[in-house]
Amino acid sequence: MSSVAVLTQESFIEHRSGLLPEQSGAAGGPSGEDEEDLPTYKDAFPPLPEKAATPEGTQETANAWTSKIRPLKSSIITQVFHVPLEERKYKDINQFGEGDQAKVCVDIMHKTGAHLELSLAKDQGLSIMVSGKLEAVMKARKEIVSRLQTQASATVAIPKEHHRFVIGKNGEKLQELELKTATKIQIPRPDDPSNQIKISGTKEGLEKAKHEILLISAEQDKRAVERVNIDKVYHPFITGAYNKVVAEMTQETGARINVPPPSVNKTEIVITGEKEQVALAVTLIKKIYEEKRKNTTTIAVEVKKSQHKYVVGPKGNTLQEILDKTGVSVEIPPSDNSSETVILRGEPDRLGQALTEVYAKANSYTVSSVSAPSWLHRFIIGKKGQNLAKITQQMPKVHIEFTEGEDKITLEGPTKDVQMVQGQIEAIVTDLVSRMDYAEISVDPKFHRHLIGKGGVNINRIKELHKVTVRIPPDNEKSNLIRIEGDPQGVQEAKKELLELASRMENERTKDLIIEQRFHRAIIGQKGEKIKEVRDKFPEVIINFPDPAQKSDIVQLRGPRNEVEKCSKFMGKMVAEMVENSYSLSVPIFKQFHRNIIGKGGSNIKKIREETNTKIDLPAENSNSEMIVITGKKANCEAAKNRILAIQKELANITEMDVSIPSKLHNSLIGSKGRLVRSIMEECGGVHIHFPSEGSGIDKVTIRGPVEEVEKAKQQLLALAEEKQIKSFTVELHAKPEYHKFLIGKGGGNIRKVRDSTGARIIFPASEDKDQEVITVVGTEEAVRTAQKELEELIKGLDNVVEDTMSVDPKHHRYFVARRGQVLRDLADEYGGVMVSFPRTGSQSEKVTLKGAKECVEAAKKRMLEIVEDLDAQVTVECVIPQKFHRSIMGPKGSRIQQITRDHNVQIKFPEREDPQAPPAEAPIQENGEADGEAKEPVDPNAPKKCDVILISGRKERCESAVEALKALVPVTIEVEVPFELHRYIIGQKGSGIRKMMDEFEVNIQVPPPDQQCDKIAITGLASHLDRAKEGLLERVKELQAEQEDRALKSFKLTITVDPKHHPKIIGRKGAVITNIRTMHDVNIQFPEKNDENQDQITITGYEQNAIAARDAIQNIVGELEEMITEEITLDSRVHARIIGARGKGIRKIMDEFKIDLRFPQSGAADPNIVAVIGRPEHVDEAIDHLLNLEEEYLSDVVENEAKMAYMRPPGGSVAAADEQRGQSKGFVVREAPWASNSEKAPDMSSSEDFPSFGAPVQAKASPWGPKRF
């Protein structure tokens, strides 16, 4: 038996004090009877066990440390297998170590993880040494036999019922046999009547496997199975108590006896084993059966159904116990049978004793109940079952059952124990009933989660404050009953508070706002900043946004009715603004004008964005898109669109035209994936055609672009629309993509001829289309058929590949192959992929080969002859332009010069830049009037400098027109009269003003230095830009002069005198009041600095009428402030914090509600209870009444909390005092310690020498434990 020591609160206090109260009187060490009570050193610290004598006479300690360790065996084994020559699969001796045999061995090593070594014996037999773990070696052996040795097969016949013993459980026996014999064994399926087992492998393996299988079968032949039918009622006598009889029979006979358990209604007993063993076991069983059948009788007794389980006992142990004691079997009716009759079967002289045992067991347990309200059950059980555990530990045989919803506790167990437990539980119930109460309140389930609060904050506060437990039913119960349990007073207070909260919530309103989910993130703001502002503005309203994953548009507001309405309106305005600002507009702008719309350094686009308050997105530079997307308010988007279109219109001759085409034809005009309309736009110089949105029913189609191209596009659209109305027909042709450019022709010439002659529209695939070979022909059926025929002939001709030659002077070869053959690549692109081959460099051959479609070769040949003719007629012309203008002529990234080169088909070369810091070359010294034998010609002083000469190469007439174009790009300078005092405003902050004008007008503006005080400003640029720049500059001068006049009017100054004590109120919280006055009246208001003499002077600057209006507004505020009074009241300082509230929310609310100002005393004030109330007399009186009511309410809480804290303090004032009263602890004392024999004192626990702290240096000291080891 084991005992459990229970540490109670009282014994813990005694333990802490070191001694029991009656022992505290002894001043010295333990003596007399007290000394005898102390434990000895050996009791407290028992020594290790002594060594015991072993049978050999040697002394060995009987523990785990000194027991002999078994020698470890190696897990690696090595086996050698021999394959005779006649059984070898691979007999080619010459290939040993490099043929198939070696590959097989490597594969076996990889598969099994074993290591193989091969060697040849003198008789050409193969020896294989295999090393590795046992399992790996066995697997390798099997692989070697199957792959390196010739295979034989044999069959063995055994009875079908023995097959399962060969297979074994889960096939383990079969696998073991196959590994052991290195064979493959195939056993017929259960549904196959054959009894033949097929074995394949080596001869040696076959013999082994056959032997093993026949051995298994022979073993099974010796075994027998016998089934004996014995009445179920006699089975207990055959098994015996605790299965003793059946175990003895099994041991005696060696047979296995299987008796069905009592729960299984079978009479058959199965005996298995060898035939002799089975026969002996059957004889013994029948003998017991016959004997019991003759000698036993039965009696039936009535036992209450509820007591049957006590007669049976746990796992039937009690029945076994009765059978063991009396030899009588007790038959209990099944639990699902209502019968109470118990039958006792046994010898007549034993039945009386068994009956006594049955009744004793039946009555040894009793069932009782204790009345206890169901709401008290959990308090009786205790936290995590602690209270109940104390009872069950003392009375483990008693079963205590609590039934939910019933006001009783059921006890079941031994009568005596049940009575004791019943007494204990009744005492607990009486105690709980006397000091606990409960209340139930009805609250609508929809308010339950709000009563609980976020993270349970509300309900936890009520629980802690009133020391009660509150049970709120879960949502799935849909119950409105809330139960409060605990101290009667706490229950009533908690009930009151919960009802108040519930009633307040009933007055609350929940409103669902429908806000598109795309705006949710914008309303919440980055890191929740924007929604925090809304929540701060409406602190009483709870705003719930749906989970983004739900894709819901419902935002829920909950709080006081008025606040919810205000918050709803406020958020509605926010959303309306967002909706208004999210209008989007796409404007098609020709790609070449995008950079002009952006402006230098993004100045133009930035200006449009700022002035129209819109977001403008341009497509990427490498994108083919021409759409500029504008986002913002609709009116602002339209304004931005107009400004962008105006820039485009100004830069080019762009016009816009509306064409009326029935909306039902729009889709057919646009074509599949926009192919049809795109072909018109490309053909008409890239005009923009805008169709209205689908389903709008609008007939207006807008065309925008150069005037001539717009007219052309209009005619084509109308013609196409007419065709579509009559009858539209479509055909698709296929041609290789490299033929497309040739079919289209230069500038679309070829395809235009086909279209003009047939009237059909031919659409080629765009670069993004998947099928690049499809050409679509659209029009009337007749036109399409004709165009189809022409195109098919052209395509057929292109498929006819020919080879031709032509002569090109070698001096021109370089032109064609330069720049990695760019000219040849362009020819191939333009003329259906024609291949042009020039002779090798240095061969001086004129023969050039062209290969491709016949028409393409002819066209390419013609074009090359044109190029050669141009090269022969090429001249070089000099154009003299001062070097200082070269950069301006080139334009940004050489764009202007590239344009001239393309337009005039010439080559332009600029000279090297002259270094201005390089010294001029000195003239060589001449002696005797000669240098190198000849006199040099004098240099012409009027000849142009090398660095000013631009060389232009090409045909003469083209070079001349290029020279004129270059000279037109030379900048011109004009001067504009601008008053000197306006120069700094024109320059702007950090030069921003002048830079903006220079970017806008594409000119250079030079302002003279300030020390010259000159009224002239120089503008340099192209002649075409100068007039516009001059107008812009003069316009800016007019604006600045108007601003100067306005500035003079705005500088009106007004000074008013205001008592400094009113200044903070005029300024307002965070400057709110004064900022409002400044904004409303557009004035600047200056308050005196701290060190100013006139502290009562406030200066107002602005327009005269505005300054007067601002002065009147300030005087009105002052008038109101002078009407205010200040009253001091006494408020207990303990409630100040509660009145002020978290982050001053409470005090702000009071000040806003009563329109007063509150001044609380600073720390260290003479009277910390004085609070000043400032405001109008009527407001001050109302505020004081409110504050005094709050003081009374909060003060009762403060007093109550202080009273509770007083009870929580330990008696005597502190824990230290309590420790002093207990006296000094003597520590743990033992008798007969080793140090006592040396007349030494016990270790002093307070000594730093005996018990040093970590890290402290300690002097070495002799010890009874022996020298210290380090």
Side-chain angles (χ1 to χ4, degrees):
M1 184 181 284
S2 63
S3 61
V4 179
V6 181
L7 184 64
T8 63
Q9 184 68 26
E10 293 77 9
S11 61
F12 176 67
I13 293 166
E14 288 166 4
H15 167 69
R16 283 192 60 185
S17 65
L19 291 170
L20 293 168
E22 56 267 21
Q23 291 174 316
S24 60
S31 63
E33 289 179 11
D34 294 342
E35 195 170 322
E36 287 174 11
D37 294 338
L38 293 173
T40 64
Y41 181 79
K42 281 190 179 180
D43 291 338
F45 304 102
L48 294 169
E50 294 293 329
K51 289 182 179 179
T54 59
E56 293 81 6
T58 57
Q59 293 288 326
E60 284 192 8
T61 310
N63 62 31
W65 304 106
T66 56
S67 62
K68 285 188 178 180
I69 299 168
R70 289 180 185 175
L72 290 172
K73 290 183 180 177
S74 172
S75 62
I76 304 297
I77 65 162
T78 302
Q79 286 189 12
V80 177
F81 306 114
H82 188 72
V83 182
L85 176 64
E86 62 273 12
E87 289 183 20
R88 280 180 59 192
K89 196 177 271 188
Y90 305 101
K91 294 180 182 177
D92 189 355
I93 300 162
N94 297 328
Q95 283 203 345
F96 181 73
E98 57 185 48
D100 293 334
Q101 190 169 253
K103 288 177 186 173
V104 168
C105 289
V106 171
D107 189 38
I108 292 169
M109 285 197 282
H110 281 308
K111 265 188 183 178
T112 63
H115 179 68
L116 272 65
E117 287 183 23
L118 277 73
S119 61
L120 274 176
K122 286 182 182 178
D123 62 354
Q124 299 302 315
L126 189 65
S127 292
I128 305 160
M129 187 166 73
V130 185
S131 304
K133 291 188 177 178
L134 178 61
E135 190 184 350
V137 169
M138 297 310 285
K139 283 182 183 174
R141 180 192 173 191
K142 188 181 173 185
E143 289 282 332
I144 288 163
V145 167
S146 66
R147 296 173 71 178
L148 293 179
Q149 209 164 349
T150 53
Q151 302 291 297
S153 63
T155 57
V156 60
I158 63 167
K160 187 77 177 174
E161 59 267 21
H162 294 174
H163 286 194
R164 63 192 183 91
F165 297 105
V166 177
I167 296 168
K169 191 179 180 182
N170 297 326
E172 287 172 4
K173 185 70 179 172
L174 183 62
Q175 286 174 10
E176 188 188 332
L177 266 174
E178 287 184 334
L179 276 174
K180 193 175 175 182
T181 61
T183 57
K184 176 72 180 169
I185 301 168
Q186 291 177 317
I187 296 171
R189 296 178 66 82
D191 52 1
D192 188 344
S194 171
N195 63 354
Q196 298 284 337
I197 295 175
K198 189 180 177 184
I199 310 161
S200 55
T202 61
K203 287 178 184 177
E204 185 188 351
L206 289 177
E207 293 302 323
K208 278 185 184 178
K210 198 184 285 186
H211 172 72
E212 291 287 341
I213 291 167
L214 289 170
L215 204 63
I216 291 166
S217 181
E219 279 177 19
Q220 296 307 316
D221 279 336
K222 291 178 188 176
R223 299 182 71 80
V225 178
E226 191 75 41
R227 289 176 171 79
V228 183
N229 276 311
I230 304 288
D231 288 343
K232 188 76 178 174
V233 293
Y234 295 107
H235 284 195
F237 300 111
I238 290 161
T239 57
Y242 304 110
N243 291 325
K244 284 179 186 174
V245 175
V246 82
E248 285 169 10
M249 283 193 288
T250 302
Q251 197 171 357
E252 186 183 335
T253 62
R256 188 176 169 192
I257 302 165
N258 185 14
V259 181
S263 57
V264 177
N265 192 20
K266 278 187 181 178
T267 59
E268 191 178 69
I269 296 172
V270 182
I271 306 109
T272 56
E274 293 186 8
K275 288 176 182 177
E276 298 84 2
Q277 295 172 342
V278 170
L280 182 58
V282 169
T283 307
L284 289 172
I285 289 166
K286 285 184 176 178
K287 185 182 174 185
I288 293 168
Y289 170 58
E290 290 298 332
E291 187 186 328
K292 291 298 176 186
R293 197 160 62 85
K294 287 176 187 176
N295 299 334
T296 58
T297 184
T298 59
I299 59 167
V301 293
E302 295 295 316
V303 177
K304 285 183 183 176
K305 191 74 180 174
S306 61
Q307 292 179 323
H308 285 193
K309 60 183 173 182
Y310 308 130
V311 177
V312 175
K315 296 180 182 176
N317 280 346
T318 307
L319 291 177
Q320 296 293 330
E321 187 186 326
I322 295 167
L323 182 60
D324 190 29
K325 275 186 185 178
T326 64
V328 174
S329 166
V330 181
E331 296 165 22
I332 305 288
S335 56
D336 55 355
N337 192 330
S338 60
S339 173
E340 294 187 340
T341 305
V342 174
I343 297 167
L344 281 70
R345 189 181 302 275
E347 294 174 12
D349 57 336
R350 298 285 189 91
L351 286 173
Q353 186 188 348
L355 184 60
T356 307
E357 286 288 335
V358 167
Y359 276 127
K361 295 295 180 186
N363 295 319
S364 64
Y365 277 72
T366 185
V367 177
S368 180
S369 64
V370 178
S371 293
S374 59
W375 65 274
L376 283 179
H377 287 187
R378 59 196 192 85
F379 296 105
I380 295 165
I381 294 165
K383 195 175 182 183
K384 294 181 181 177
Q386 286 174 352
N387 297 350
L388 211 58
K390 288 178 186 175
I391 298 168
T392 52
Q393 278 172 8
Q394 292 170 3
M395 306 292 175
K397 292 182 181 177
V398 178
H399 174 66
I400 305 169
E401 188 179 338
F402 293 85
T403 309
E404 193 174 348
E406 287 189 16
D407 293 340
K408 68 172 183 176
I409 301 165
T410 308
L411 311 176
E412 189 180 315
T415 308
K416 192 178 175 184
D417 290 358
V418 165
Q419 287 171 357
M420 289 182 71
V421 171
Q422 186 173 350
Q424 288 181 17
I425 290 177
E426 281 174 350
I428 292 169
V429 170
T430 307
D431 174 54
L432 288 170
V433 168
S434 66
R435 61 185 180 83
M436 296 198 79
D437 193 6
Y438 79 93
E440 287 183 342
I441 59 171
S442 180
V443 177
D444 194 317
K446 67 182 178 183
F447 299 129
H448 287 185
R449 65 190 183 94
H450 306 304
L451 288 178
I452 293 165
K454 193 175 182 181
V457 66
N458 294 349
I459 206 72
N460 288 339
R461 182 185 60 78
I462 292 167
K463 284 178 180 177
E464 287 169 19
L465 186 63
H466 303 296
K467 301 289 183 288
V468 293
T469 57
V470 183
R471 188 190 176 279
I472 296 176
D475 292 342
N476 57 1
E477 282 186 22
K478 293 184 179 175
S479 169
N480 57 0
L481 274 183
I482 294 175
R483 192 180 180 90
I484 310 157
E485 298 164 356
D487 175 69
Q489 187 184 347
V491 166
Q492 292 306 316
E493 288 174 358
K495 178 182 176 181
K496 184 183 173 186
E497 189 168 346
L498 282 169
L499 287 170
E500 281 177 5
L501 274 170
S503 65
R504 201 182 308 158
M505 282 168 195
E506 282 169 4
N507 293 330
E508 284 185 347
R509 184 184 170 193
T510 300
K511 186 172 183 179
D512 289 343
L513 286 181
I514 307 297
I515 299 172
E516 284 183 65
Q517 198 183 32
R518 63 192 174 109
F519 296 125
H520 290 189
R521 185 172 285 184
I523 293 167
I524 293 165
Q526 196 176 10
K527 295 181 182 177
E529 289 168 2
K530 288 190 177 176
I531 199 66
K532 189 176 179 293
E533 288 175 17
V534 178
R535 283 176 175 147
D536 289 345
K537 192 165 187 176
F538 304 99
E540 293 178 54
V541 179
I542 295 167
I543 305 167
N544 289 323
F545 284 86
D547 191 324
Q550 292 177 357
K551 295 185 178 176
S552 170
D553 294 340
I554 296 171
V555 176
Q556 194 181 70
L557 309 180
R558 186 174 53 78
R561 191 178 295 274
N562 293 340
E563 291 296 307
V564 165
E565 286 301 325
K566 285 179 188 174
C567 184
S568 171
K569 283 179 185 174
F570 181 78
M571 288 185 76
K573 279 183 186 175
M574 280 178 74
V575 173
E577 281 178 21
M578 284 176 185
V579 170
E580 197 178 355
N581 290 331
S582 64
Y583 179 78
S584 187
L585 197 67
S586 294
V587 188
I589 297 292
F590 293 102
K591 195 81 177 174
Q592 65 263 35
F593 300 131
H594 281 201
R595 62 188 184 86
N596 305 91
I597 285 158
I598 295 166
K600 194 170 182 181
S603 58
N604 290 359
I605 200 78
K606 191 178 176 185
K607 185 182 178 184
I608 296 168
R609 280 172 181 155
E610 286 173 359
E611 291 181 4
T612 61
N613 193 22
T614 54
K615 182 186 174 187
I616 302 171
D617 294 313
L618 284 93
E621 246 182 85
N622 54 0
S623 163
N624 293 327
S625 172
E626 294 186 334
M627 287 294 178
I628 294 176
V629 181
I630 309 166
T631 311
K633 291 183 179 177
K634 189 175 180 180
N636 295 351
C637 289
E638 291 293 343
K641 173 189 169 182
N642 293 338
R643 288 185 63 168
I644 289 169
L645 290 172
I647 292 171
Q648 179 180 251
K649 199 171 182 180
E650 192 179 322
L651 291 166
N653 183 21
I654 302 297
T655 187
E656 191 174 288
M657 189 181 286
D658 291 337
V659 184
S660 183
I661 295 171
S663 58
K664 64 183 179 182
L665 297 176
H666 289 185
N667 279 346
S668 58
L669 289 175
I670 293 166
S672 174
K673 295 180 182 177
R675 281 181 184 174
L676 196 53
V677 76
R678 192 165 57 236
S679 72
I680 297 172
M681 291 195 300
E682 285 170 2
E683 199 174 315
C684 302
V687 297
H688 291 132
I689 300 172
H690 176 68
F691 284 85
S693 56
E694 195 175 351
S696 63
I698 299 169
D699 295 342
K700 189 174 76 172
V701 177
T702 307
I703 309 168
R704 187 185 298 117
V707 179
E708 316 82 55
E709 301 297 341
V710 166
E711 190 58 42
K712 193 174 169 186
K714 177 188 173 183
Q715 297 305 325
Q716 287 201 24
L717 266 177
L718 289 170
L720 200 59
E722 196 176 335
E723 276 176 26
K724 292 281 179 187
Q725 277 179 318
I726 298 164
K727 192 179 178 184
S728 179
F729 188 73
T730 305
V731 164
E732 286 185 352
L733 301 172
H734 288 263
K736 290 178 183 177
E738 55 264 30
Y739 294 162
H740 290 189
K741 277 194 177 179
F742 181 75
L743 290 171
I744 293 165
K746 194 170 183 179
N750 295 352
I751 214 71
R752 200 178 294 114
K753 283 179 191 174
V754 175
R755 200 191 67 215
D756 291 345
S757 64
T758 63
R761 172 162 296 281
I762 298 150
I763 303 162
F764 286 83
S767 56
E768 64 268 14
D769 288 349
K770 283 185 181 177
D771 195 343
Q772 289 290 308
E773 292 191 356
V774 174
I775 300 169
T776 310
V777 186
V778 182
T780 60
E781 188 173 356
E782 187 187 347
V784 168
R785 293 294 181 202
T786 313
Q788 182 185 3
K789 191 177 177 183
E790 283 188 32
L791 285 168
E792 281 174 346
E793 283 175 8
L794 277 171
I795 293 163
K796 192 176 178 183
L798 291 173
D799 286 334
N800 180 21
V801 177
V802 296
E803 191 172 305
D804 198 359
T805 58
M806 65 179 288
S807 294
V808 176
D809 196 319
K811 69 180 180 182
H812 299 315
H813 289 191
R814 184 176 175 80
Y815 173 80
F816 286 98
V817 297
R819 290 174 294 152
R820 297 182 182 178
Q822 182 62 46
V823 176
L824 295 180
R825 279 204 301 277
D826 291 345
L827 283 168
D829 284 348
E830 197 170 338
Y831 300 104
V834 68
M835 288 172 62
V836 183
S837 302
F838 278 81
R840 289 191 177 206
T841 311
S843 67
Q844 295 302 313
S845 171
E846 293 185 354
K847 188 180 175 184
V848 176
T849 308
L850 293 90
K851 189 176 181 180
K854 190 176 180 183
E855 287 81 357
C856 295
V857 167
E858 289 300 324
K861 193 174 177 181
K862 187 180 175 185
R863 175 67 188 133
M864 284 178 72
L865 289 170
E866 284 176 9
I867 292 169
V868 168
E869 190 186 339
D870 281 353
L871 290 170
D872 286 335
Q874 188 169 297
V875 297
T876 301
V877 175
E878 290 183 353
C879 176
V880 180
I881 295 173
Q883 191 186 40
K884 64 181 179 179
F885 299 128
H886 287 188
R887 182 171 288 179
S888 173
I889 289 165
M890 286 180 186
K893 295 182 183 178
S895 58
R896 287 176 181 168
I897 217 70
Q898 286 168 13
Q899 189 64 41
I900 292 171
T901 304
R902 281 195 299 271
D903 292 349
H904 302 284
N905 194 16
V906 293
Q907 290 181 329
I908 301 171
K909 187 180 178 184
F910 279 80
E912 294 290 325
R913 288 184 67 79
E914 185 183 51
D915 188 356
Q917 295 180 350
E922 291 182 10
I925 299 166
Q926 296 181 8
E927 290 185 13
N928 299 326
E930 59 182 37
D932 297 333
E934 66 180 60
K936 289 191 177 179
E937 291 180 17
V939 177
D940 184 2
N942 297 322
K945 287 183 183 179
K946 244 186 182 184
C947 62
D948 295 342
V949 177
I950 300 168
L951 299 175
I952 305 167
S953 302
R955 282 181 172 271
K956 189 177 180 183
E957 60 277 13
R958 289 176 185 166
C959 289
E960 286 169 359
S961 56
V963 167
E964 286 176 16
L966 279 173
K967 286 184 175 175
L969 292 175
V970 175
V972 182
T973 303
I974 60 167
E975 287 185 343
V976 181
E977 190 93 18
V978 177
F980 171 71
E981 63 270 16
L982 298 179
H983 286 195
R984 64 194 183 100
Y985 300 113
I986 285 167
I987 294 167
Q989 195 175 13
K990 294 183 181 178
S992 60
I994 201 163
R995 234 185 349 261
K996 185 180 172 186
M997 289 174 73
M998 285 160 70
D999 291 340
E1000 190 178 341
F1001 302 116
E1002 295 182 40
V1003 293
N1004 184 33
I1005 300 172
Q1006 290 175 320
V1007 179
D1011 54 351
Q1012 289 184 11
Q1013 294 196 358
C1014 177
D1015 289 341
K1016 303 273 178 147
I1017 289 178
I1019 305 173
T1020 306
L1022 300 180
S1024 57
H1025 295 168
L1026 287 177
D1027 292 340
R1028 203 158 54 88
K1030 184 179 178 181
E1031 283 175 19
L1033 183 61
L1034 292 172
E1035 191 66 37
R1036 180 66 181 140
V1037 169
K1038 284 180 185 175
E1039 284 175 17
L1040 289 170
Q1041 286 172 341
E1043 282 175 18
Q1044 270 187 331
E1045 290 171 12
D1046 185 62
R1047 213 176 291 120
L1049 291 170
K1050 209 173 180 180
S1051 61
F1052 178 78
K1053 217 175 238 186
L1054 197 66
T1055 305
I1056 56 171
T1057 305
V1058 176
D1059 195 321
K1061 71 179 181 182
H1062 297 316
H1063 288 190
K1065 282 291 179 186
I1066 295 167
I1067 293 166
R1069 190 164 177 265
K1070 293 183 181 178
V1073 177
I1074 201 69
T1075 303
N1076 189 32
I1077 295 169
R1078 281 172 178 153
T1079 309
M1080 192 185 292
H1081 300 290
D1082 189 23
V1083 293
N1084 181 28
I1085 302 170
Q1086 201 72 33
F1087 283 83
E1089 299 287 335
K1090 281 186 181 178
N1091 51 358
D1092 280 1
E1093 289 181 10
N1094 301 321
Q1095 283 293 308
D1096 56 354
Q1097 299 287 322
I1098 296 174
T1099 308
I1100 306 167
T1101 311
Y1103 293 117
E1104 187 175 355
Q1105 66 271 26
N1106 291 2
I1108 292 165
R1111 178 196 65 189
D1112 294 344
I1114 291 170
Q1115 284 176 343
N1116 288 341
I1117 292 168
V1118 171
E1120 285 178 13
L1121 290 171
E1122 284 175 348
E1123 286 177 16
M1124 288 186 183
I1125 60 164
T1126 302
E1127 281 200 27
E1128 290 184 347
I1129 60 168
T1130 303
L1131 284 181
D1132 196 305
S1133 58
R1134 290 174 293 178
V1135 301
H1136 287 190
R1138 286 282 297 274
I1139 290 168
I1140 292 166
R1143 296 183 183 177
K1145 277 186 181 176
I1147 193 171
R1148 264 202 306 280
K1149 190 178 176 184
I1150 294 167
M1151 286 160 69
D1152 292 344
E1153 189 179 338
F1154 295 100
K1155 296 177 184 174
I1156 50 96
D1157 195 13
L1158 284 177
R1159 295 276 183 271
F1160 281 85
Q1162 292 183 342
S1163 57
D1167 188 348
N1169 301 326
I1170 295 294
V1171 176
V1173 187
I1174 305 155
R1176 287 176 173 272
E1178 64 275 14
H1179 295 160
V1180 168
D1181 291 341
E1182 286 176 15
I1184 288 170
D1185 289 344
H1186 180 69
L1187 287 168
L1188 291 172
N1189 288 339
L1190 282 178
E1191 180 195 27
E1192 189 179 343
E1193 184 185 334
Y1194 294 156
L1195 203 55
S1196 62
D1197 291 347
V1198 170
V1199 171
E1200 190 178 334
N1201 286 338
E1202 284 178 353
K1204 284 179 185 175
M1205 291 299 289
Y1207 284 114
M1208 288 170 72
R1209 292 190 188 118
S1214 69
V1215 175
D1219 287 343
E1220 283 173 22
Q1221 285 179 5
R1222 286 200 298 267
Q1224 193 173 357
S1225 172
K1226 295 194 177 180
F1228 182 67
V1229 183
V1230 293
R1231 294 182 289 121
E1232 300 172 15
W1235 53 79
S1237 59
N1238 297 337
S1239 305
E1240 289 186 16
K1241 292 179 182 176
D1244 182 6
M1245 289 192 295
S1246 61
S1247 165
S1248 62
E1249 197 172 321
D1250 287 342
F1251 295 94
S1253 58
F1254 285 111
V1258 181
Q1259 192 174 352
K1261 181 179 172 185
S1263 167
W1265 309 102
K1268 291 181 183 175
R1269 290 180 177 87
F1270 297 97

